[in-house]
């Protein structure tokens, strides 16, 4: 199904049914450096559809920069279960008082190429939005934020992305951080099946 097809399923109140059907096919999960397991379902041009899973039952990857990031694509996210806090972050350019450097993240099938930029900043927590099962929210490309699940909490979302021309994937990291490459860690078939079962148990 395309991005627009999935959006219509969600708008029609069929998120759970669609997810169970989509995950019944062939899927290979990966550990995302932002702390969740990603089950990619569709990628076409600048559009993408994934299920994101936060669970203490699965090992997760650690970020090499920070959890504060912005996308090169507009996000539509639908919460299947659990609680998600979308924490907006206000970022301001700073000189000697800077606390973080902005890094550009360029992803390809082999992983993420993370490069420091010349921009140094300070940041502050802005609006904190809390979403529960059945809630949906949007986030425009270029808006710094972090997605937080309460400690020990279990949650899953459907994430729809649509690329925005001229936007970049960015993350805040240490001032002295160097460029590096991070390989995405695929789950083996047994772990992927376990992730699917965890989601299905909350939806059936």
């Amino acid at each position: 199904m395309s991005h627009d097809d999935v959006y219509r399923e969600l708008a029609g109140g069929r998120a759970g049914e669609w997810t169970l059907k989509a995950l019944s096919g062939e899927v290979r999960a990966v550990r995302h450096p932002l702390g969740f397991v990603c089950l990619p379902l569709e990628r076409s041009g600048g559009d993408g559809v994934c299920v994101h899973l936060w669970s203490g039952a699965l090992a997760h990857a650690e970020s090499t920069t920070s959890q504060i990031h912005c996308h090169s694509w507009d996000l539509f996210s639908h919460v299947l279960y659990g609680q998600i806090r979308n924490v907006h972050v206000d970022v301001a350019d700073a000189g000697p008082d800077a606390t973080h450097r902005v890094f550009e993240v360029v992803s390809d099938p082999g992983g993420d190429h993370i490069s420091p930029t010349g921009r140094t900043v300070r940041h502050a927590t802005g609006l904190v939005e809390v979403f529960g099962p059945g809630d949906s929210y949007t986030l425009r490309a270029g808006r710094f934020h972090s997605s937080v699940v309460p400690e020990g909490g279990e949650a899953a979302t459907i994430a729809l992305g649509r690329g925005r021309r001229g936007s970049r994937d960015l993350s805040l990291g240490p001032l002295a951080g160097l460029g590096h490459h991070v390989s995405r860690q695929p789950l083996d078939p047994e772990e992927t099946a376990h992730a699917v079962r965890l989601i299905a148990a909350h939806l059936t």
Side-chain angles (χ1 to χ4, degrees):
M1 275 191 173
S2 70
H3 173 290
D4 291 342
D5 291 334
V6 177
Y7 180 84
R8 284 190 286 270
E9 290 294 306
L10 303 184
R14 297 180 292 275
E17 294 89 333
W18 177 85
T19 302
L20 291 171
K21 182 177 180 180
L23 294 180
S24 68
E26 184 175 346
V27 61
R28 185 68 180 272
V30 295
R31 301 184 217 282
H32 195 283
L34 291 176
F36 54 83
V37 167
C38 176
L39 296 100
L41 298 173
E42 178 67 33
R43 182 60 62 96
S44 177
D47 290 350
V49 180
C50 301
V51 172
H52 293 167
L53 169 65
W54 289 261
S55 175
L58 297 167
H60 62 273
E62 298 289 344
S63 173
T64 59
T65 50
S66 78
Q67 295 291 311
I68 300 171
H69 64 285
C70 71
H71 307 135
S72 61
W73 35 272
D74 295 330
L75 169 70
F76 178 90
S77 183
H78 180 86
V79 182
L80 290 166
Y81 61 85
Q83 183 187 94
I84 301 290
R85 296 175 187 167
N86 185 38
V87 181
H88 294 254
V89 178
D90 298 322
V91 172
D93 293 336
D97 296 328
T99 58
H100 290 75
R101 183 174 299 278
V102 177
F103 287 74
E104 182 173 11
V105 182
V106 177
S107 301
D108 61 30
D112 301 318
H113 301 272
I114 302 174
S115 304
T117 71
R119 185 183 180 194
T120 57
V121 300
R122 295 181 67 87
H123 69 85
T125 299
L127 175 67
V128 178
E129 304 171 296
V130 180
F131 301 100
D135 291 336
S136 298
Y137 64 95
T138 61
L139 191 73
R140 188 178 177 87
R143 186 73 173 91
F144 279 98
H145 73 120
S146 61
S147 299
V148 179
V149 172
E151 186 173 354
E154 303 278 322
T157 65
I158 301 171
L160 308 184
R162 172 153 286 169
R164 182 172 287 274
R165 188 184 301 274
S167 296
R168 299 185 295 169
D169 292 313
L170 303 173
S171 179
L172 299 192
L175 288 170
L178 301 176
H180 56 286
H181 179 266
V182 176
S183 298
R184 290 292 173 92
Q185 304 172 21
L187 278 68
D188 63 31
E190 291 76 17
E191 289 178 296
T192 296
H194 184 39
V196 171
R197 288 194 298 270
L198 289 171
I199 295 169
H202 283 86
L203 299 181
T204 54

